Amino acid sequence: MKLKSLLYIFNPAKRADDALQKVEGAAPSQSYWMMVRKQLGKNKLAVYCLRVIYLLIALALFADLLANEKPLACSYNNHTYFPIFRAYAVNMGIAEWPTELQNVEWKKLNYNWSVFPPIPYLPGNIDEANVHSVSPFATQQVKSTRWRHWLGTDELGHDIFAAMIYGTRIALLVGVVSMSIATLIGLMLGALAGYFGDDRLKVSRIGLIFNALFFVLAVFYAFGVRSYILSDALAGSSLLFFVQVLFSLLIFLAVMAAGNLLALPFNRLPFFGKKISIPIDIIVSRIIEVMISIPTLFLIIAIVAIAKPSLMLVMLVIGATTWTGIARFVRAELLRIRNLEYIEAAHALGYSEMRTIFRHALPNAMSPVLIAVAFGIASAILTEATLSFLGIGVPADTLTWGALLSEARSKPTAWWLAIFPGIAIFITVTVYNLLGEGLTDAMDPRLRK
Amino acid sequence: MLKYIVKRIFIFIPTLIAISLITFVIGINAPGDPVETILSKQQGEGQSVKGLADESAYISMRHKLGLDLPLFYFSITNSTSPDTLYRIAKTDVRDNLAHLAFIYGSWPNVAQYYSAIKQFENHLNIIKPDSSNAENLNKAKAAVSVLYTNYEQDKIATLLKKLDTVISIRTNSLELVSVNFNAVKEAEKNIIDNKSSFSKYIPVIHWYGFRNQYHHWLVNFMRGDFGISYQDMRPVGPIIWDAMKWTMGISFISILLAYFIAIPIGVKAAVNKGSRGEKITTSGLFMLYSLPNFWIATMLIIFFCGGDWFSWFPAPGAAPIPTDAPFMYHVTQGLYRLILPLICWTYTSLAFISRQMRGGMLNVIGQDYIRTAQAKGLSENVVIWKHAFRNSLLPVITLFANVFPLLLSGSVVIEEIFSIPGMGQVSYNALIANDYPVVFADTMFAALLTLFGTLVADILYAMVDPRISFTKATA
């Protein structure tokens, strides 16, 4: 109480505020997002879903500690080691394996003592004693219950539980990365179409010509000249490909910027300098129509089938084909917002278009985007599972949930190959869908009490 | 109304052209060589095309498929790539030469190198193999065929060295071709010596005119000629038509089923909002919506089609129904086999539609005129079905346009699992086999159907809601 009255000294206005609140019994003027959070907190189902999502994220982050062939901690030749953590350090290049632990079979070592992770297998490990899909209930050829395959094994003797845990990592990664890509594209195009509409994007004639010309040049220098480098990178690691794509995009942007700079001096000319408006809304709407007219799965399979299997590519393609939902939401929202008075005020204050869009218009259009992202993650995970199920896109040695499920097709008696990954996909998709639903409700002003 | 429809159909045209361009771009980037695939299929599996006689077969097949034309109306490439590159028959040789030109920056030198190899190969082929030189001759021929598809300097160098040792053996007749071989070596040296690394940064536009693959395909498509499948040389039209009958038939039944079940469920759920039964139905529907259909299909097969559990249904891909069976047997057996696929096909759209129906109904029930109707003392049934239902039906009808592409996408997996020869399976197999004539036609038809679905939905919308008029500014 004393502290509070002390605070009033520094901020007398707050006293009035608090007093007013006491009288009205109302909440303090809270931000929109706080309100949404509070509203979401009231929705028990959504809260549970959030918890499940946290759990899934934890599973994905700590997969190495939950299922691994190496012990968490052990004592070998009277030295204490923490092999899993050491493996991280070795991967980062900080530490090295001691000679006695180089290329060892971790399970066959004679430890003084050892603590193994709950699932003492990696998804890639092959248990030769338990090949040909051993049921979780059947007698398994294991040393003790500690080494049991709790969810059975598949045809090659992979532990299903370990594969399930690492599958979480891939599923969430696909969901988040592909949705980030989709959000980026959707926000950009949606904002362009919605904010500028058909009448507000004005470019001088020479600017238009230069942009078209330099667009061709930019594609040529960013992707045409680098096509061999890019295709080599695609065959290599995902990270390398990502870096190369990023580099290409940078070149693209640089060329476009150069084109626009070159166009500047011509803007003074009488004919070329005349401003014409670009019907950007029509253009974007047509692109969206094209995208939704092609069955998405056809398109994804077509693109994925012609390239070498790569998880990065799958995420890129899913992202690049599913942005239409977000773009439509943002477009609709910005079409509404652009006519509001505060945008006019921003114009009157002389703010640049960029600043008005990014600082003032877009933040107020974010709520439908958030909903679309939640639903989008669910559908991205489902799409990846479908692709893995069909056996395309994801490399064959990556055991994803969908890949496990497809094994059940060739072996119909192995129900555990179908049920566990299926439930995992189902739960993940459901929680994201329910979260999307909860967000929709939380942001609906009609439902606010 | 008619004016509106015509206008909409005109708007379809650029959309369809864009879609055709997208599929075309994907198609030309597909790996593998369709000509080689067809020829090796005709000659028996596993054989690749080699030798002079086969080369002429290759060229004539390439011409027959129209693949000897430039790809598009124009091309924008770097200045190292010539406008006549498409004339080189073999895909891998062509790609390799383009790569070589890209690295060393001079097409004339690369062309000289190519023709030198060609000459050398021709002369090698003239030499009659006998016991003294057969082994070396084969070695040389093998090395030459690898030379066609290599662009790395050190690999070419090792190949040339290998050839050098083979040819310089005096005892056999191979020394006859040493002149030609020296020409190859010189051409290679010439390429490397006159390397220019800047010409690849100069963009060049080549104009090819209307004689190009895309134009031919588009014109033929509009004439109703969809080309021939690379897989079995059948015309694409009948393939698509057969597949379409399956998918359209099943989709139609499934949409009907979905609407018939979903609408009452949605209405009931909205009317009894808050009751326990409603909560269970709603969450059940939601879960149904999130269930992956390939999982359900797999589970149904595991548990109901033989296996260790129930064998109520024949396994997918079971023996076809004999054609001489009586008609009714066809119908009952056909339906019986379609039960499981239909379940998988229907439940997602069912959940989707009923959720939308519930939402629409809830919106309407909150309106004033419903309260007025209730206040007038109308019976609950009349209020619900006559006043509320008719108005909330609107958004649900337009869902038809959304459900349709969903079904087409879903058909890929379900048809694959239940081995139904529909659009999904045909396109999937075509995609996997890089059979692009089929993929093109399939994608175009799918897109046409989707666009048509949107149009029908819009027209239905107008028929149900008199407030909507298309005669004023709508588009």
Side-chain angles (χ1 to χ4, degrees), chain A residues 127-243:
Chain A
D127 186 353
E128 275 115 5
N130 293 297
V131 287
H132 304 314
S133 312
V134 180
S135 162
F137 299 134
T139 44
Q140 298 177 345
Q141 303 297 319
V142 285
K143 277 183 275 178
S144 67
T145 341
R146 182 71 188 80
W147 306 94
R148 223 183 135 70
H149 301 281
W150 292 106
L151 298 184
T153 63
D154 71 352
E155 189 60 32
L156 292 172
H158 296 126
D159 184 71
I160 300 298
F161 210 144
M164 296 276 298
I165 290 176
Y166 281 85
T168 319
R169 196 176 257 189
I170 294 171
L172 291 193
L173 196 69
V174 168
V176 170
V177 174
S178 57
M179 251 7 236
S180 312
I181 297 168
T183 312
L184 208 66
I185 305 174
L187 271 182
M188 295 261 273
L189 290 182
L192 273 179
Y195 182 78
F196 290 113
D198 285 336
D199 49 351
R200 284 201 194 161
L201 185 61
K202 291 215 161 62
V203 184
S204 63
R205 281 185 177 141
I206 189 73
L208 192 66
I209 296 169
F210 267 62
N211 267 310
L213 199 68
F214 275 77
F215 178 79
V216 175
L217 280 182
V219 172
F220 175 75
Y221 285 116
F223 301 104
V225 172
R226 291 168 51 79
S227 63
Y228 288 114
I229 300 173
L230 283 173
S231 60
D232 283 350
L234 185 61
S237 75
S238 295
L239 187 72
L240 190 70
F241 180 59
F242 188 69
V243 171

Side-chain angles (χ1 to χ4, degrees), chain A residues 69-133:
Chain A
E69 55 172 351
K70 301 185 188 79
L72 278 165
C74 65
S75 171
Y76 181 65
N77 285 351
N78 294 323
H79 289 292
T80 310
Y81 295 111
F82 298 95
I84 296 179
F85 300 100
R86 188 146 199 148
Y88 283 130
V90 171
N91 280 341
M92 282 189 284
I94 309 171
E96 271 176 34
W97 290 112
T99 34
E100 54 186 12
L101 290 179
Q102 269 169 3
N103 301 321
V104 287
E105 284 216 35
W106 292 94
K107 269 171 222 140
K108 293 193 178 144
L109 294 181
N110 262 327
Y111 298 107
N112 303 77
W113 55 265
S114 63
V115 182
F116 271 91
I119 313 296
Y121 297 100
L122 272 181
N125 287 160
I126 288 171
D127 186 353
E128 275 115 5
N130 293 297
V131 287
H132 304 314
S133 312

Side-chain angles (χ1 to χ4, degrees), chain B residues 411-425:
Chain B
S411 72
V412 175
V413 186
I414 298 174
E415 284 173 4
E416 182 62 21
I417 296 175
F418 288 103
S419 25
I420 298 168
M423 292 257 283
Q425 201 186 31

